[in-house]
């Protein structure tokens, strides 16, 4: 499926690059329609909401679009994801050199305080290497939520209107 460009792997973030190779990667299905068909999900939006899988489909779509942009623009950024033993996670980490910018993907029109938990866990460990953190969402307003945390509409990240 990876060779056919239907799926891609997102390695786990770790300072030690060797450990990145042995940790379980996150799998993204790059085509939302294929993902919905593969998992037997409804095609209509209301049914997809009811299935509870709309967040995973949206996250994979944002990942796929971002990966295309970064490839096309020839940005030399490494894309990884981050998980801890206590279930904290950040969906995408963009890394260049010693700086990392985490992206948490939320299929919501408004960000709630509870949506910041994974980001706050990341900052508790990696604050020194993180200039800013973004929660990418379906809303319309670029909004600062905390000192380093921003709500970023998906259309601003992906350059679509």
């Amino acid at each position: 499926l990876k060779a056919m460009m239907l799926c891609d792997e997102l390695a786990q973030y770790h300072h030690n690059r060797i450990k990145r190779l042995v940790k379980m990667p996150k799998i993204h299905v790059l085509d939302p329609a294929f993902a919905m068909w593969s998992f037997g999900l409804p095609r209509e939006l209301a049914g997809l909401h009811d299935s509870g899988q709309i967040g995973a489909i949206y996250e994979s779509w944002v990942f796929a679009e971002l990966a295309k942009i970064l490839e096309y623009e020839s940005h030399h950024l490494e894309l990884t994801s981050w998980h801890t033993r206590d279930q904290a996670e950040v969906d995408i980490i963009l890394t260049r050199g010693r700086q990392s910018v985490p992206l948490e993907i939320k299929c919501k029109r408004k960000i709630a305080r509870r949506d910041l938990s994974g980001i706050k866990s990341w900052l508790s460990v990696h604050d020194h290497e993180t200039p800013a953190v973004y929660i990418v969402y379906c809303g319309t307003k670029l909004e600062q939520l905390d000192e380093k945390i921003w709500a970023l509409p998906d259309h601003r990240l992906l350059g679509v209107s």
Side-chain angles (χ1 to χ4, degrees):
L1 293 174
K2 189 173 179 179
M4 294 182 343
M5 296 183 193
L6 293 174
C7 293
D8 203 356
E9 295 177 346
L10 192 56
Q12 294 294 316
Y13 178 88
H14 199 283
H15 283 294
N16 181 336
R17 293 190 183 279
I18 300 300
K19 285 192 177 185
R20 290 183 192 183
L21 296 175
V22 297
K23 291 185 174 264
M24 181 67 75
K26 189 173 193 173
I27 306 295
H28 282 286
V29 179
L30 303 178
D31 181 336
F34 179 71
M36 292 185 299
W37 176 81
S38 297
F39 299 115
L41 299 173
R43 283 188 259 166
E44 63 281 342
L45 197 53
L48 190 56
H49 272 285
D50 293 344
S51 75
Q53 296 301 312
I54 193 163
I57 299 292
Y58 178 71
E59 180 185 330
S60 286
W61 175 75
V62 170
F63 166 76
E65 295 303 308
L66 182 60
K68 288 179 213 172
I69 291 167
L70 294 176
E71 182 72 25
Y72 178 76
E73 300 278 333
S74 297
H75 291 287
H76 300 290
L77 295 170
E78 185 174 11
L79 276 77
T80 55
S81 65
W82 181 75
H83 295 85
T84 67
R85 286 188 193 131
D86 8 330
Q87 306 303 314
E89 72 162 345
V90 175
D91 298 319
I92 300 172
I93 311 293
L94 302 170
T95 304
R96 179 182 290 149
R98 294 177 185 244
Q99 284 201 327
S100 298
V101 176
L103 304 175
E104 182 64 25
I105 315 300
K106 295 292 180 188
C107 188
K108 297 180 167 189
R109 296 226 181 263
K110 187 139 181 69
I111 301 301
R113 286 282 166 209
R114 71 178 181 277
D115 296 326
L116 306 179
S117 63
I119 294 293
K120 294 220 179 219
S121 292
W122 167 271
L123 286 172
S124 72
V125 178
H126 301 285
D127 186 59
H128 63 283
E129 67 196 59
T130 306
V133 177
Y134 297 96
I135 299 182
V136 179
Y137 75 120
C138 304
T140 58
K141 188 176 173 188
L142 175 64
E143 182 177 5
Q144 188 167 10
L145 304 173
D146 207 0
E147 181 184 347
K148 287 187 173 184
I149 304 174
W150 292 82
L152 176 65
D154 56 9
H155 67 272
R156 287 199 170 197
L157 174 69
L158 304 173
V160 295
S161 48

